[in-house]
């Protein structure tokens, strides 16, 4: 299939592009390289451009005879979305609706969308199933949910086949060792703990030790980026006109911040200096996915079903690329 991947030079995008290519799809990456990395994708499939350049998008969709779009391009920092919501409504909502309009003009109705566990806000029940009410508590979650709703309406009215994949905590790196996580600024727990183990930062600060969890720190469901990637491919190959495939994507098991620190110490063999700090505003105590639905309906199964194996791949990447991708 001829596929356009927006944001394909980013962390989850680049791992998905690699898998799509391995599956024999014809892939084009559309990325403005604001957070993505040129070195993360083969040069010959990279098209640099803004999502706001609609004429260019129309041209690309037509010229490359695109049949489906996998849409990663987005702003993804919860904290930044609180202080600069306009950026999130523009990048994540307006730009996505414009992209969807281009698709409609070109008669393309296949769309795989990067959504997030953040659309659930503070869930009533953990593990979180797809029936849990979606009530985001920040602008980032609001913009992602708004697109999910628009897609459901497009499926009903225009017969689109779409998937909305709600990621829990993406982590790890390709076992090949040549692509991995490289954010600026880095805010995610696993890379920051690894940096503390490497001495690249003085310590890791634990954001809150008084949560109602067994060790007082927040619990998250860390999913390997290649397992996220494989879910995109399964979903893409199962899209049906008029139907939405909405799945929560985690491994169905949560780990506390302290457990992550222990796993990094075990994998790297280095001690991690820790500082206990206050809670970070907006962090729910526990977010764990129920991944039963995608297992049942698409036969998806995570290859990395435990934290250690995820951390090993992340450590491999950071050890080999202490400064991330070559700029
Ligand atoms: N944490 C620390 N210290 C740090 C960084 C993080 O204690 O220096 C804690 C956080 O408080 C949280 C956990 O580690 O409890 C994980 O934090 P991350 O920032 O790595 O990830 P989040 O769970 O906050 O958010 C991630 C993505 C979001 C996405 C969300 C969906 O960053 O984009 O998962 O659940 F929306």
């Amino acid at each position: 299939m001829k596929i356009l991947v927006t944001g394909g030079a980013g962390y989850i995008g680049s791992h998905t592009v690699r898998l799509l290519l391995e599956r024999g799809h014809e892939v084009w990456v559309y990325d403005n390289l604001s957070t993505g990395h040129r070195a993360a994708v083969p040069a010959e499939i990279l098209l640099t451009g803004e999502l706001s350049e609609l004429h260019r998008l129309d041209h690309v969709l037509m010229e490359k005879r695109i049949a489906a779009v996998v849409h990663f391009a987005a702003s993804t920092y919860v904290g930044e979305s609180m202080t600069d919501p306009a950026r999130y409504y523009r990048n994540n909502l307006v730009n996505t609706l414009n992209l969807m309009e281009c698709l409609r003009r070109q008669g393309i109705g296949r769309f795989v969308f990067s959504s997030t566990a953040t659309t659930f806000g503070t869930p009533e029940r953990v593990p979180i199933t797809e029936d849990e009410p979606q009530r985001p508590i920040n602008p980032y979650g609001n913009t992602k949910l708004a697109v999910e709703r628009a897609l459901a309406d497009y499926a009903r009215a225009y017969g689109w086949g779409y998937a909305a994949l709600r990621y829990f905590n993406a982590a790890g790196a390709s076992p090949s060792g040549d692509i991995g996580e490289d954010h600026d600024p880095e805010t995610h727990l696993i890379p920051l703990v690894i940096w503390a183990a490497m001495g690249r930062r003085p310590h890791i600060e634990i954001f809150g030790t008084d949560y109602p969890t067994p060790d007082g720190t927040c619990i998250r469901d860390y999913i390997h980026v290649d397992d996220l990637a494989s879910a995109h491919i399964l979903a893409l190959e199962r899209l049906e006109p008029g139907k939405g495939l909405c799945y929560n994507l985690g491994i169905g098991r949560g780990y506390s911040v302290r457990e992550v620190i222990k796993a990094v110490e075990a994998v790297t063999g280095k001690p991690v200096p820790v500082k206990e700090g206050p809670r970070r505003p907006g962090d729910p105590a526990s977010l764990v996915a129920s991944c039963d639905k995608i297992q049942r309906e698409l036969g998806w199964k995570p290859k990395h079903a435990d934290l250690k194996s995820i951390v090993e791949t992340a450590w491999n990447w950071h050890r080999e690329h202490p400064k991330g991708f070559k700029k």
Side-chain angles (χ1 to χ4, degrees):
M1 207 188 305
K2 295 178 198 302
I3 299 161
L4 186 73
V5 181
T6 72
Y11 172 43
I12 306 172
S14 58
H15 286 78
T16 305
V17 164
R18 166 122 357 142
L19 222 59
L20 284 166
L21 291 169
E22 281 171 14
R23 289 275 300 171
H25 292 289
E26 181 180 325
V27 181
W28 295 96
V29 169
Y30 193 83
D31 200 301
N32 67 4
L33 299 180
S34 63
T35 56
H37 302 276
R38 191 176 287 280
V41 287
E44 62 277 13
I45 64 167
L46 177 62
L47 308 166
T48 49
E50 298 291 334
L51 274 183
S52 53
E53 294 174 72
L54 301 184
H55 289 307
R56 178 154 156 71
L57 269 175
D58 273 328
H59 179 74
V60 166
L61 293 171
M62 201 160 37
E63 192 198 47
K64 308 294 185 200
R65 293 189 288 143
I66 297 295
V69 171
V70 184
H71 179 45
F72 292 101
S75 296
T76 60
Y77 293 105
V78 170
E80 183 187 57
S81 82
M82 300 289 279
T83 54
D84 190 3
R87 180 187 180 87
Y88 282 71
Y89 281 92
R90 189 176 59 242
N91 287 349
N92 296 1
L93 185 56
V94 174
N95 281 348
T96 303
L97 291 176
N98 282 337
L99 168 67
M100 288 163 63
E101 237 359 69
C102 290
L103 262 65
R104 234 158 61 77
R105 268 198 294 276
Q106 305 299 332
I108 303 163
R110 273 185 278 205
F111 200 85
V112 178
F113 177 58
S114 295
S115 190
T116 167
T118 307
T119 57
F120 291 107
T122 307
E124 280 162 22
R125 276 177 305 268
V126 176
I128 303 170
T129 65
E130 286 74 4
D131 301 328
E132 179 72 22
Q134 286 174 290
R135 293 194 202 106
I137 54 171
N138 52 56
Y140 172 59
N142 284 334
T143 60
K144 289 287 180 175
L145 181 57
V147 173
E148 280 201 28
R149 299 244 156 97
L151 285 169
D153 290 335
Y154 277 45
R156 241 183 328 265
Y158 310 132
W160 279 31
Y162 76 94
L165 304 178
R166 300 163 190 149
Y167 313 154
F168 282 63
N169 290 60
S174 168
S176 66
D178 59 340
I179 53 174
E181 190 167 12
D182 180 1
H183 293 117
D184 184 19
E186 187 53 81
T187 61
H188 297 99
L189 182 64
I190 291 179
L192 291 179
V193 177
I194 290 177
W195 287 3
M198 295 168 85
R200 185 169 166 188
R201 287 168 68 105
H203 57 257
I204 182 73
E205 178 173 344
I206 300 183
F207 295 149
T209 53
D210 60 348
Y211 283 97
T213 59
D215 69 15
T217 67
C218 283
I219 291 175
R220 294 288 180 275
D221 185 336
Y222 298 89
I223 171 170
H224 194 276
V225 63
D226 276 346
D227 287 324
L228 275 180
S230 72
H232 287 75
I233 282 127
L234 286 173
L236 179 72
E237 292 175 354
R238 293 282 283 274
L239 294 179
E240 275 177 45
K243 196 169 161 201
L245 305 172
C246 299
Y247 299 114
N248 296 351
L249 265 178
I251 62 171
R253 170 151 189 214
Y255 293 91
S256 73
V257 174
R258 287 195 208 278
E259 286 176 315
V260 170
I261 295 169
K262 277 205 202 92
V264 170
E265 288 183 325
V267 166
T268 61
K270 297 170 194 291
V272 173
V274 167
K275 189 174 150 216
E276 297 191 355
R279 291 183 178 197
R280 183 172 67 178
D283 273 345
S286 178
L287 290 176
V288 179
S290 158
C291 47
D292 295 351
K293 188 178 173 210
I294 188 161
Q295 298 208 355
R296 203 175 51 241
E297 293 186 0
L298 301 189
W300 175 84
K301 217 170 142 34
K303 279 197 186 144
H304 300 264
D306 67 289
L307 184 60
K308 184 163 166 278
S309 123
I310 294 172
V311 169
E312 275 166 357
T313 63
W315 168 232
N316 184 36
W317 159 254
H318 287 287
R319 195 183 41 203
E320 298 300 322
H321 303 82
K323 297 206 167 110
F325 286 101
K326 284 203 189 83
K327 302 294 183 291

